[in-house]
Amino acid sequence: MNRPLMMAAAVALVCSAAQAAEPAAMLPASNPFAQASTLPFGYPQFDQIRNEDYAPAFAEGMRINAAEIEAIANNPKPATFENTIVALEKSGQLLSRVSSVFGNLSGANTNDSFKALERELSPKLAAHSDAIRLNEKLYARIQSLYDKRDKLHLDAEAKYLLQRYHTDFVRAGARLSAADKEKLKVMNGQLANLQTAFAQNVQEEANASALVVDTREELAGMSAAAIDAAAAAAKARGMEGKFLIPVVNTTGQANLAVLTNRAVRERLMAASLERGSHGGQYDNREVVLKLVRLRAEKAALLGYATYADYALEDQTAHDAQAVNRMLAEFARPAVANAKKEGAEIQQVIEREQGGFQLAAQDWSFYSDKVRAERFNFDQNQLRPYFELNNVLTKGVFFAANKVYGLTFKERKDLPVYHPDVRVFDVYDANGKQLAIFLADFYARSNKRGGAWMNAYVSQSKLMGTHPVVANHLNIPQPKDGEPTLLTYDELRTLFHEFGHALHGMFSDVTYPRFSGTRVPRDFVEFPSQVNEMWSVWPEVLANYATHYQTGAPMPKELLDKVIASKKFNEGFRTTEYLAASILDQKWHQLGVAQIPNDVLGFEAAALKSAGIDYAPVPPRYRTTYFSHTFAGGYTAGYYGYLWSEKLDADTVNWFSEQGGMLRKNGDWFRKMLLSRGGTMDAMQMYRNFRGRDATVEPLLERRGLTEK
């Protein structure tokens, strides 16, 4: 998912209320955040928002929210669910409005003003959150309600909300001594600063690390359109006559699959691997060490052996031992599969008299040759059938219509923050509007890497709000007039992120705290992974996979090859993911006295000790550009993709067993899971849907890990 990792997440801890029409007393009416947007569903007034509107709106939002908290904490009446918990849910509306827009645009459409304000706001928002969570009187009211929770006659969602508030406050340090609370406040401010610095360094380094080549010939293997785009990118940076290849957030780079010049491939891979670790102003090594030390100190202050123990206690995995067992169980067969795949690639290299040993820069290029030999096709044969608009409207939207009864209507009248953004009204099966969906698919230099979903407005019965959600990808934008043809990975990502969007759109909860994707981190990827299944479902594929020039459907034999090759390269895919997941755990399972001095040395030793140090398959993210974990959001939680995939694979089997793409199946999945948000224990929610716990066999089969 790779959501916006900083500002929006920080404010989610402070105020969970959605948009509502209340005036902001000291904010000029000309400020677009002063009142809730009057556009449909509270859709943001992007055309009225200026850079200078954010700072005063944040300041006033925090001021009002602080006053609301004081009023709740100092209420002379005894604590009740309404005057304490519901009051907290309704608080912070202005702060929520401005943070949802700023937090999302800081990832999707940033600028120097955003970056400066982000650095200024991070510690202030951390302090504001601490002032709430460490408020003794407020915690006392919550504790008093929690102690008699079984006697309050609350419905299931309300009772769970009370439990979650109690847990949130305890985990935030509400039980610490006054002196330790002060220590914690300092730590949280420092952590906020460091996470912001890490994220901004990653984005700046990605731009600075773009590969520049001198001649068109060096880019042999890339399409003419892609080379032209590289020339245009170089010209835009004042390097006319040269060619510029951007570096994306993952270690692997798409152009490695097509560049025939090995020296250029080597330069591109080196540029990717060295990000944040080769000196200069964007070097993240010192930031990493400070972050890891502070997180370990914070965990110790809160009574935990390591930060991983602290983070995982509140996830469905519950403890580091469970995560370690899973990663270790998958690592050995995954690396064994990767080495088999590497041996096949080496045979191709030797047949072609390459005269070199397989290295990381060669994997994508030669694995495509192995695929072509084994299945008689390569990935580039697919792209003419994966035109972006077709995939979106006749694939993603078509599947949502068949499974859930949704329909979509594009609208041009609502303002957008960038011309690339498209907006759709989403209608339920009964014809009533359910949500507004924003689609922002193209890469930009001021957009962070990866793909993610976010909510501008979250659904809540208490607040009377409906979802406004967005998907963001980083698809290279073709020249004017050229079609946008997706890779297979981009196709899967489009369906994946829309699964997150569905989770947000189908939310049917009372309290903002539970809306949409506000579930444990190691559960949140599950619904999105399930939605990937429709990308190659025959009925869906037949509807969208038509040639962009001729309109001819994808030949059945090509489709059969796609299906047959689904397990191809799974050793690589699993190994690179596990390597990153293990690094995340290794860093966050360190005690305060165990923090190393050498980031790259620790990384190498960690991978070796886990038996996953296979050089041709580097981690999907190396430490110094691993924003998931070091910019927050997935800290000690990157394992969650695989943890969720166990549920996903089991659910895909359920859909198949129940007849596949049927409304009754979609309605059940929606009713029992997608609509429930975080209103109950996530694993119990899954049991209620499936009738049992998930089994691991479908995942092992999918990943090709059952073969000896």
Side-chain angles (χ1 to χ4, degrees):
M1 183 179 186
N2 196 16
R3 302 180 191 177
L5 301 173
M6 296 155 295
M7 207 60 58
V11 178
L13 296 174
V14 179
C15 56
S16 50
Q19 323 285 47
E22 99 291 356
M26 297 176 64
L27 197 63
S30 59
N31 189 299
F33 297 110
Q35 295 187 10
S37 170
T38 57
L39 295 175
F41 284 19
Y43 181 97
Q45 302 173 97
F46 292 116
D47 56 336
Q48 298 181 28
I49 299 170
R50 303 164 302 168
N51 287 343
E52 54 266 33
D53 292 325
Y54 292 106
F58 268 109
E60 180 66 358
M62 284 188 276
R63 188 193 68 80
I64 291 176
N65 192 209
E68 291 168 334
I69 297 304
E70 283 302 304
I72 297 168
N74 294 304
N75 189 336
K77 296 181 179 179
T80 66
F81 183 78
E82 286 293 326
N83 72 20
T84 303
I85 304 301
V86 173
L88 283 169
E89 284 290 277
K90 290 181 176 180
S91 69
Q93 292 165 20
L94 169 57
L95 185 55
S96 180
R97 280 199 298 277
V98 63
S99 65
S100 68
V101 175
F102 184 85
N104 295 326
L105 295 193
S106 65
N109 201 48
T110 193
N111 54 51
D112 289 342
S113 175
F114 265 73
K115 293 172 187 175
L117 184 56
E118 194 171 34
R119 291 190 294 270
E120 178 187 339
L121 283 172
S122 293
K124 291 181 179 179
L125 288 169
H128 182 67
S129 177
D130 284 339
I132 297 172
R133 295 295 173 84
L134 302 179
N135 185 309
E136 292 184 11
K137 292 181 180 179
L138 182 58
Y139 174 63
R141 293 177 73 85
I142 294 171
Q143 182 69 52
S144 70
L145 293 170
Y146 181 76
D147 288 341
K148 56 185 178 184
R149 60 192 179 279
D150 293 330
K151 301 176 182 178
L152 296 178
H153 307 294
L154 301 174
D155 63 35
E157 184 179 342
K159 185 175 182 180
Y160 195 60
L161 180 67
L162 173 57
Q163 293 172 342
R164 288 307 312 170
Y165 261 95
H166 182 262
T167 298
D168 291 345
F169 271 69
V170 170
R171 286 177 52 78
R175 290 177 171 172
L176 293 177
S177 68
D180 283 346
K181 285 179 180 177
E182 291 306 311
K183 291 180 184 178
L184 183 62
K185 290 175 184 178
V186 173
M187 288 180 183
N188 285 340
Q190 293 172 332
L191 285 168
N193 277 329
L194 288 167
Q195 289 175 183
T196 298
F198 186 97
Q200 291 190 355
N201 282 347
V202 169
Q203 184 170 358
E204 296 293 348
E205 178 79 314
N207 290 328
S209 298
L211 179 67
V212 180
V213 300
D214 296 325
T215 66
R216 196 177 188 92
E217 288 71 28
E218 290 175 281
L219 300 183
M222 291 173 56
S223 68
I227 295 174
D228 289 343
K235 182 178 180 180
R237 293 202 193 180
M239 296 180 286
E240 189 162 4
K242 296 186 183 296
F243 302 84
L244 186 143
I245 307 298
V247 175
V248 301
N249 66 324
T250 55
T251 296
Q253 304 294 314
N255 286 308
L256 292 171
V258 297
L259 287 165
T260 61
N261 186 318
R262 188 171 190 248
V264 176
R265 292 202 307 272
E266 185 174 13
R267 288 175 58 201
L268 180 58
M269 177 55 81
S272 179
L273 288 168
E274 292 170 3
R275 281 174 288 162
S277 64
H278 58 90
Q281 60 182 316
Y282 308 129
D283 195 302
N284 259 333
R285 286 174 292 183
E286 209 48 46
V287 179
V288 166
L289 293 178
K290 290 178 180 178
L291 269 170
V292 172
R293 179 174 296 280
L294 269 172
R295 286 173 177 170
E297 291 173 352
K298 176 177 176 176
L301 187 65
L302 291 168
Y304 297 86
T306 71
Y307 192 86
D309 291 304
Y310 166 70
L312 294 170
E313 179 189 57
D314 205 35
Q315 303 300 313
T316 63
H318 294 307
D319 58 62
Q321 290 68 37
V323 174
N324 290 343
R325 282 195 300 271
M326 179 193 72
L327 295 176
E329 287 169 0
F330 277 87
R332 185 191 59 78
V335 173
N337 279 6
K339 288 181 176 179
K340 289 178 185 177
E341 294 165 1
E344 290 183 272
I345 290 173
Q346 189 65 47
Q347 290 176 3
V348 174
I349 293 171
E350 291 171 1
R351 270 203 314 272
E352 294 184 355
Q353 299 182 331
F356 57 84
Q357 289 296 306
L358 169 67
Q361 67 264 22
D362 305 312
W363 192 286
S364 294
F365 184 77
Y366 283 96
S367 66
D368 275 0
K369 293 192 174 193
V370 174
R371 181 190 284 108
E373 285 185 6
R374 185 182 302 175
F375 302 104
N376 194 29
F377 93 103
D378 65 61
Q379 297 272 39
N380 286 327
Q381 289 178 268
L382 302 176
R383 294 187 67 177
Y385 298 96
F386 295 163
E387 190 274 324
L388 174 58
N389 192 61
N390 260 4
V391 174
L392 178 66
T393 60
K394 298 181 180 179
V396 174
F397 290 172
F398 172 79
N401 174 260
K402 296 291 290 185
V403 181
Y404 304 110
L406 300 185
T407 54
F408 302 81
K409 182 178 180 181
E410 188 164 9
R411 59 188 303 172
K412 306 284 189 178
D413 59 316
L414 291 177
V416 292
Y417 55 85
H418 191 279
D420 290 344
V421 178
R422 300 171 67 182
V423 183
F424 298 84
D425 285 335
V426 185
Y427 295 92
D428 216 334
N430 61 8
K432 184 178 180 180
Q433 187 169 357
L434 177 71
I436 295 177
F437 173 67
L438 293 83
D440 181 3
F441 295 144
Y442 289 116
R444 294 185 289 275
S445 61
N446 68 339
K447 185 181 187 181
R448 68 180 180 84
W452 68 95
M453 167 267 188
N454 66 262
Y456 287 100
V457 182
S458 297
Q459 177 274 333
S460 164
K461 295 175 186 174
L462 178 69
M463 307 304 297
T465 52
H466 304 279
V468 178
V469 301
N471 278 171
H472 307 269
L473 276 69
N474 267 279
I475 300 167
Q477 190 160 27
K479 293 195 308 182
D480 288 346
E482 295 283 341
T484 304
L485 305 180
L486 305 182
T487 66
Y488 184 58
D489 282 346
E490 289 165 344
L491 170 80
R492 284 179 53 185
T493 301
L494 197 65
F495 277 85
H496 175 99
E497 293 303 329
F498 196 73
H500 286 304
L502 289 173
H503 201 181
M505 288 191 280
F506 284 150
S507 179
D508 188 23
V509 304
T510 298
Y511 302 106
R513 170 68 173 77
F514 293 144
S515 185
T517 58
R518 291 173 183 168
V519 298
R521 179 64 67 195
D522 55 6
F523 191 80
V524 74
E525 297 298 334
F526 159 52
S528 54
Q529 289 169 333
V530 169
N531 205 59
E532 290 182 35
M533 71 184 291
W534 308 123
S535 65
V536 291
W537 196 265
E539 183 179 354
V540 181
L541 198 68
N543 198 60
Y544 75 80
T546 56
H547 197 283
Y548 78 99
Q549 290 175 314
T550 67
M554 178 184 285
K556 183 179 183 302
E557 56 270 23
L558 184 56
L559 170 60
D560 290 343
K561 291 171 184 176
V562 173
I563 302 301
S565 67
K566 283 180 70 175
K567 293 181 190 175
F568 179 77
N569 217 34
E570 276 298 313
F572 172 91
R573 190 168 78 92
T574 306
T575 298
E576 68 158 3
Y577 165 77
L578 287 172
S581 299
I582 287 168
L583 283 178
D584 178 28
Q585 290 302 314
K586 291 286 188 179
W587 279 113
H588 292 103
Q589 289 181 27
L590 295 173
V592 176
Q594 299 171 308
I595 309 301
N597 295 316
D598 177 7
V599 169
L600 300 186
F602 177 85
E603 178 180 281
L607 294 174
K608 185 175 182 179
S609 69
I612 203 159
D613 57 332
Y614 179 42
V617 186
R620 182 170 176 81
Y621 299 97
R622 293 192 72 193
T623 299
T624 51
Y625 49 90
F626 199 172
S627 292
H628 285 77
T629 187
F630 291 109
Y634 284 76
T635 304
Y638 194 63
Y639 75 93
Y641 286 90
L642 190 62
W643 191 271
S644 293
E645 195 179 349
K646 174 182 173 181
L647 307 180
D648 156 40
D650 197 53
T651 300
V652 169
N653 275 15
W654 177 86
F655 269 98
S656 297
E657 292 163 2
Q658 301 298 319
M661 187 169 266
L662 301 177
R663 274 290 308 283
K664 69 178 182 68
N665 294 338
D667 288 347
W668 180 251
F669 190 48
R670 174 178 176 175
K671 176 183 177 182
M672 301 305 293
L673 206 143
L674 294 180
S675 66
R676 298 296 178 92
T679 57
M680 62 188 302
D681 176 79
M683 298 313 295
Q684 186 58 50
M685 193 186 305
Y686 185 83
R687 293 183 200 103
N688 293 348
F689 155 69
R690 189 69 166 99
R692 58 166 173 78
D693 286 323
T695 62
V696 74
E697 286 73 21
L699 175 56
L700 295 173
E701 173 66 23
R702 172 190 290 183
R703 290 270 181 170
L705 300 180
T706 57
E707 301 171 4
K708 303 298 182 184

